[in-house]
Amino acid sequence: VIPRLKGGSMRGSYDLSAFVKASVRNHVKARATRRLPAVFPLDEVGAWLLGVYAAEGCSSKTGIEVSVGKHERGFAVEIRKAFRRIGFITSIGEARTALKVRVSSMPLGRLLDSVCGKLAHRKMVPYDVLMHVRPEILRAFLCGYERGDGYRRRLSGAEVVGANTTSSVLAAQLQLLLARLGRFATVRRVERRDDMIMGRRIKVVRPFYAVLW
């Protein structure tokens, strides 16, 4: 039985000044000269970006990166536009097998590490998203996460949405989030074998969790 939690968070934004190592005065001065945002909004746009980040993002030395397939340029442009709408300096670069949307903001990187988790197996749904009083915030996060990691398949004649994650916490939280939206989700632990990538044997040490809804 999956409990249906009652939302209690009314957060509207995250203060980026709390994630600056230098003084707030220096941060304010930097924002004045570089026009950097003072907050990260927790509206539909911000929640969508948090979902995308939980699926495909990681922090970097200068801010954050979101990696998508080379065939997903339209998705990369959509992510860049959403960050720019908030006010962040954003670019798209090419790696060997992916496109990388890069956002130059170390405070943003620290914020997202804090609320979404650092490294794939430690990812999570931000508490203020999971417990938000507005269901639109939950739906926006889920939409962003599905765009990043989701897939669709037919199961017993019906179309279902699925996502795989190495984070057991994220998998369980997705169940709770979906339950708050009146939807049922299953989670299955899948053990993995070693794999071959580009001719090299890769040792797999962690299982993944298949979430279906």
Side-chain angles (χ1 to χ4, degrees):
V1 178
I2 308 300
R4 191 166 183 176
L5 304 177
K6 183 177 180 180
S9 175
M10 299 179 66
R11 180 183 287 275
S13 64
Y14 295 98
D15 180 8
L16 290 173
S17 294
F19 297 90
V20 180
K21 289 186 177 180
S23 68
V24 174
R25 179 178 299 178
N26 288 339
H27 179 53
V28 172
K29 183 178 179 181
R31 285 195 294 103
T33 56
R34 298 177 60 197
R35 299 182 180 178
L36 297 177
V39 299
F40 183 91
L42 189 52
D43 55 11
E44 285 89 342
V45 175
W48 184 83
L49 285 171
L50 290 174
V52 170
Y53 185 85
E56 303 286 9
C58 65
S59 59
S60 66
K61 292 181 179 180
T62 59
I64 69 162
E65 292 183 352
V66 179
S67 299
V68 302
K70 283 195 171 182
H71 63 287
E72 298 179 295
R73 181 167 290 276
F75 184 29
V77 170
E78 189 177 352
I79 297 168
R80 180 182 64 184
K81 286 182 177 179
F83 275 115
R84 285 185 173 180
R85 180 175 172 182
I86 296 174
F88 289 102
I89 299 169
T90 312
S91 63
I92 298 176
E94 288 197 18
R96 187 172 183 178
T97 60
L99 296 174
K100 291 184 178 290
V101 183
R102 297 186 175 98
V103 184
S104 300
S105 173
M106 293 178 69
L108 177 63
R110 297 184 190 113
L111 165 67
L112 297 186
D113 278 349
S114 174
V115 300
C116 291
K118 188 172 184 177
L119 304 178
H121 64 284
R122 294 176 180 167
K123 286 290 181 68
M124 57 188 172
V125 179
Y127 172 83
D128 289 297
V129 170
L130 180 61
M131 301 301 293
H132 210 281
V133 296
R134 294 178 56 205
E136 297 87 352
I137 300 300
L138 280 71
R139 293 192 189 99
F141 177 91
L142 187 63
C143 179
Y145 185 79
E146 182 183 337
R147 283 292 302 275
D149 257 356
Y151 59 87
R152 293 178 180 270
R153 58 178 288 193
R154 296 199 68 79
L155 187 65
S156 301
E159 186 177 69
V160 298
V161 179
N164 298 332
T165 175
T166 56
S167 170
S168 60
V169 171
L170 177 58
Q173 289 177 324
L174 286 172
Q175 270 191 314
L176 294 173
L177 185 151
L178 284 156
R180 288 203 59 209
L181 294 174
R183 301 166 69 179
F184 177 74
T186 62
V187 176
R188 180 169 60 94
R189 177 185 167 115
V190 180
E191 299 293 339
R192 297 190 292 180
R193 298 179 180 178
D194 293 355
D195 201 358
M196 295 290 292
I197 299 178
M198 300 180 68
R200 300 175 63 183
R201 182 170 295 279
I202 304 299
K203 186 173 181 59
V204 178
V205 296
R206 291 189 178 90
F208 71 86
Y209 301 86
V211 187
L212 292 176
W213 66 91

